[in-house]
Amino acid sequence: MDEARLFSSARASSSNASAWALGPCSACRIRVGNAGWAAVLAAAALLATAGVWAGTRARDAPVLATFLVVGDWGRLGQYNQSGVAALMGRKAALEQPDFVISTGDNFYESGLMSPSDEAFQVSFANLYSAPGLQVPWYAVLGNHDYGDNCDHAESEPPGCSTAGREFYSPLHQLDTALVAADARWHLQRSYQLVMAGGRVDLFFIDTSPFVQKYYDTEWADRIGGLTEQSWREGLAELSTLLARSRADWKIVIGHHPPRSNGHHNNTQELLDLLEPVMEEHGVRAYLSGHDHNLEHIHLPGASVNYVISGGGSKSDRGFIGAAHSQFQWPASGFVAARLTGDELVLEYLCYTAGAAGDDLEPCYVVRIPRLP
């Protein structure tokens, strides 16, 4: 990595889950229940207007970056988190990723109670201990990192106002004390990574301020919380940076997906406001979580591929549709990415509790060519 540039805006878990390759692909791999792996050959190796390939990956092109993508994970090792972390460690031993991207909801149920909250050690530092995972972790905030659910009995301790407005504040995850505790941790509200001599730009954004229903919650007024943010300024700054970028690859990372077929479905505010900006400026992929599953969505003729990787731990909700979906996995897992000058290769790793021997075989692979 050549440089990291920061910008700040002013403000499914069962063992018999199945994956579906829903779009045209070449040599897609899917997991079919408990029957193991099946190779499925489908017609149309190329989406005619989208230019998205799926199949086995090429290793002959120079690699610009290799990384893992995981979201919605921090549950003290419970709800499959330990199993997914172990699978990530085994994959990292093979791929030697340069970094890991966290798509948010880093600590459940409601973020950290303070910068010294032991959940940081238990859910992150001690859990992702495999040698291959000792690389930078670049994270974004999710709604639970803002305090979502602090008014529910699931939070421990419960109550949004137990110790004042600083209780469950998102500022705890931004505190430099976490970096001192584990140097892998990198999180700002919004920031940009410039890599490979300027050929790759990654843009990390804070999406919770866009979601209008959150402003009516008890947790909206945490110190550093939603009421102190401006989605307009964040969007304007991202638009400016995307317009300035001359990178071959522009990738945006945020917690909420504009498009999803999971339980939460589309995030309408992002669909209306963010998607047009990304399409205008040639963003090739948007990485997110929020829905606790794995999915790949792509519309014919569109620039952006929506990569949902929210299967870092608990995954107890299925899909409610299949609009423009190329692949769905309704349970835990993560995504491994390999970026070359010509293509972005994404491998979906689908976690199944008790799987033996075949868990490093991707359940879906897609090759996304660079825009001309």
Side-chain angles (χ1 to χ4, degrees):
M1 181 177 303
D2 302 289
E3 170 180 12
R5 296 178 185 168
L6 303 183
F7 68 88
S8 299
S9 52
R11 305 287 170 218
S13 60
S14 64
S15 61
N16 63 347
S18 298
W20 300 274
L22 300 175
C25 65
S26 168
C28 292
R29 292 184 180 275
I30 63 170
R31 176 170 286 169
V32 184
N34 290 326
W37 298 99
V40 178
L41 297 177
L46 183 65
L47 289 175
T49 56
V52 178
W53 287 84
T56 58
R57 64 183 179 180
R59 295 179 177 272
D60 52 349
V63 176
L64 302 179
T66 302
F67 54 95
L68 307 182
V69 184
V70 66
D72 304 80
W73 42 269
R75 295 185 184 270
L76 306 177
Q78 303 172 13
Y79 299 101
N80 289 338
Q81 188 192 4
S82 294
V84 174
L87 182 60
M88 290 173 63
R90 293 194 294 276
K91 183 65 172 177
L94 294 177
E95 301 293 338
Q96 298 180 340
D98 301 305
F99 54 90
V100 177
I101 288 175
S102 170
T103 58
D105 278 1
N106 306 310
F107 299 99
Y108 285 94
E109 282 288 331
S110 307
L112 298 178
M113 291 183 288
S114 73
S116 59
D117 192 330
E118 67 177 3
F120 181 76
Q121 293 294 329
V122 178
S123 289
F124 173 66
N126 297 341
L127 193 70
Y128 298 100
S129 58
L133 300 179
Q134 305 311 301
V135 294
W137 281 57
Y138 297 109
V140 294
L141 292 169
N143 50 296
H144 283 275
D145 301 313
Y146 267 92
D148 194 357
N149 253 23
C150 66
D151 52 346
H152 294 179
E154 293 178 350
S155 294
E156 184 57 47
C160 295
S161 304
T162 302
R165 291 177 58 240
E166 72 275 10
F167 201 58
Y168 290 127
S169 165
L171 295 182
H172 301 325
Q173 292 189 46
L174 300 168
D175 199 294
T176 56
L178 299 190
V179 182
D182 193 316
R184 293 178 294 171
W185 186 252
H186 298 270
L187 186 142
Q188 299 289 330
R189 290 194 188 274
S190 299
Y191 56 110
Q192 177 184 2
L193 298 180
V194 181
M195 305 166 52
R199 299 183 67 187
V200 179
D201 277 350
L202 304 182
F203 303 89
F204 297 76
I205 63 171
D206 186 4
T207 57
S208 291
F210 286 83
V211 183
Q212 295 304 297
K213 67 180 181 181
Y214 291 161
Y215 291 91
D216 296 327
T217 65
E218 188 176 352
W219 48 270
D221 70 340
R222 303 298 85 194
I223 292 178
L226 294 176
T227 57
E228 300 177 24
Q229 312 308 313
S230 170
W231 64 263
R232 291 179 177 85
E233 293 180 17
L235 182 64
E237 190 160 18
L238 175 64
S239 181
T240 298
L241 291 170
L242 287 171
R244 290 176 182 169
S245 174
R246 295 297 178 263
D248 294 334
W249 291 97
K250 300 178 187 180
I251 298 174
V252 176
I253 300 96
H255 177 63
H256 298 80
R259 296 182 182 272
S260 170
N261 290 294
H263 170 79
H264 294 294
N265 206 228
N266 297 341
T267 306
Q268 192 61 47
E269 295 90 342
L270 297 180
L271 199 59
D272 294 341
L273 298 167
L274 181 60
E275 183 176 81
V277 171
M278 294 194 294
E279 287 293 330
E280 177 185 359
H281 296 296
V283 171
R284 202 63 175 117
Y286 178 89
L287 314 180
S288 68
H290 197 46
D291 275 313
H292 299 176
N293 53 46
L294 304 179
E295 188 174 18
H296 172 216
I297 293 175
H298 188 262
L299 281 67
S303 169
V304 183
N305 288 265
Y306 292 104
V307 180
I308 299 169
S309 182
S313 59
K314 190 175 183 180
S315 54
D316 57 355
R317 296 166 174 170
F319 288 91
I320 62 174
H324 304 292
S325 192
Q326 311 302 308
F327 170 79
Q328 295 180 341
W329 172 253
S332 304
F334 65 96
V335 173
R338 175 180 294 264
L339 189 60
T340 73
D342 298 325
E343 62 183 5
L344 171 62
V345 184
L346 301 173
E347 295 184 346
Y348 285 63
L349 280 295
C350 297
Y351 174 76
T352 299
D358 65 355
D359 57 351
L360 285 179
E361 181 76 13
C363 49
Y364 174 70
V365 183
V366 61
R367 300 162 70 113
I368 302 171
R370 178 171 61 87
L371 290 175

